[in-house]
Amino acid sequence: MDSELKSRIDERVQVLSTIKEDLITRLNLPYNPDDLHEDVSLLGSGLGLDSLDALEVILGIEHAFGVKVADDNIAILRSINSIADFVLEARADGVPEEAAR
Amino acid sequence: MRKSPVHDIQQASGATFDDRVGVTRATRFGDPQEEYRAVRDAVGLTDFSFTVRYRVPEDGLDVLEQYAAGSVANIRFGRVLHTLAADEQGHVETDLYIANDDEQLLVIGESLISDEQNAKILAGMGAEQAGLEDISSSTALFGLDGLNAWMVVKDLFGPDVLGLPYLSIETYELDGTEIRLLRTGKTSEFGYLLLVPAEIAASAWNRLLQVGQPHGLKVIGTDTHDVLRLDGRFFNIYGEGAKVQDPLALGLQWMIDFDGEPFRGQEAIRERRAAGPRQKIIGVQPQEGVLEPGMEIFHQERMIAQVVTAQYSPTLGEWIGLALFDWEFAYSGLEFCDQSKRSIRTVSMPPFMPKSLEVKLDEM
């Protein structure tokens, strides 16, 4: 694996791990991080989050990564991967490194 | 061969059919893209009578606990569990909805094995003594899926139906006959299943056509569901399920109660889970052109994945698929290539926001 690819994967793995651990802790899910496929649906099917759970998840994202999620942006809650995309795009758009951790 | 109670109506309307594990399914009714658009923009009516269905008395809970991987005992009254049944090797065999319906449990399965094979497995778990009844032929199952699906059930059953949460079941009357309505769906749009007695299947089908007409209803076949499930990123047992089989590589851990009552295949799944994951499926899109099952994906000279399912998505206007990747490469947002050096991107799924998620039924 070349170093550029490894670097991109490492960055994504770090973001995904933080999201998964936050989900497992906040929602008391009976899974380990490897059990949570990154494409698993968060709303409705899959993990089946309700609106209160969704609020918890958004608070977790904002706290963990120092980003602000707009009230009407439920699109990012499609899956763990869509949350990670949002965080990585926010970083690329200049969210301070210390705030993004 | 088991056929739907409305098979003849569908045949007369020009449907095409396939036969799978001893059951006939209506695969297509018209232009595939029009069928697809009906669900994403309006509502589609599908005949799911090809599913295997059981009625299980409360006393049959033990049988279902051995059969299903999820926590059947914890299904609350009026709710539906989406889970799976596995074979002895811990491979996915049936995609299940199990509903807690008053003093009975209702089971609806999309299966890779025949009715007879399922019956044999359940018999070995004590189905006969528990009073499990196969209702696959005595009932019909119709699906309403789409942005406007809620409008059709509201017209049929009144505004209270909009309060049904996802994965729930309720009893209603349809033209004087008791039926079961399940709020479910595997398209990412609104979805409802109507379980009706076979005697009224034809009249119920025609009633759905009539009530759905002002809401843009079209009859759609199972081929269209293959596309809807893929670009809605719902598990398709007839697609990636049949090819990959391992629920862990398929990302179906959420359907499994790892620490619950013993179920068929549990030990094999637990062993693989303990050994750690090796592969998993993720979304892929080609930079241009067509994506085909079996296509190999490379990083440098190493083959790291193989496409297992692919469809053209009318919403995306592009091909999309799922590929089984070696674990270390199974992340979205990366770029690899196929044998001809064409770029293949890994993508986050589901790739778009379904319109139904923006509709608030509690404000209707």
Side-chain angles (χ1 to χ4, degrees), chain B residues 4 66 82 102 131 157 172 202 204 207-208 230 234 249 270 333 342:
Chain B
S4 165
Q66 295 171 66
H82 190 184
D102 201 358
F157 306 118
Y172 289 95
R207 185 99 164 90
L208 291 170
L230 178 58
F234 269 73
R270 275 181 172 170
R342 180 180 56 155

Side-chain angles (χ1 to χ4, degrees), chain A residues 1-2 5 8-9 12-13 16 31-32 34-35 37-40 44-46 74-75 78-79 81 85, chain B residues 166 233-234 251 253-254 273 277 280-281 299-300 327-329 331-334 336 348-350 352-353 357:
Chain A
M1 187 184 298
D2 66 42
L5 178 64
R8 293 192 68 181
I9 290 176
R12 191 163 189 99
V13 166
L16 290 169
Y31 302 114
N32 63 52
D34 278 348
D35 288 333
H37 192 291
E38 293 80 10
D39 286 334
V40 71
S45 181
I74 59 166
R78 297 196 308 278
S79 65
N81 256 337
D85 290 343
Chain B
Y166 186 70
R233 191 52 178 100
F234 269 73
Q253 289 87 335
W254 59 273
R273 185 184 186 221
K280 104 173 122 177
I281 56 163
H299 172 58
Q300 296 167 338
W327 185 266
E328 71 221 75
F329 295 96
Y331 296 96
S332 67
L334 306 176
F336 301 108
S348 296
M349 300 283 274
F352 58 85
M353 179 76 171
L357 271 184

Side-chain angles (χ1 to χ4, degrees), chain B residues 194-208:
Chain B
L194 290 88
L195 181 68
V196 306
E199 308 88 78
I200 69 151
S203 61
W205 181 261
N206 289 329
R207 185 99 164 90
L208 291 170

Side-chain angles (χ1 to χ4, degrees), chain A residues 14-29:
Chain A
Q14 180 258 324
V15 171
L16 290 169
S17 298
T18 303
I19 296 167
K20 288 181 180 184
E21 283 163 16
D22 191 70
L23 277 172
I24 289 168
T25 305
R26 278 179 191 274
L27 305 177
N28 197 24
L29 300 176

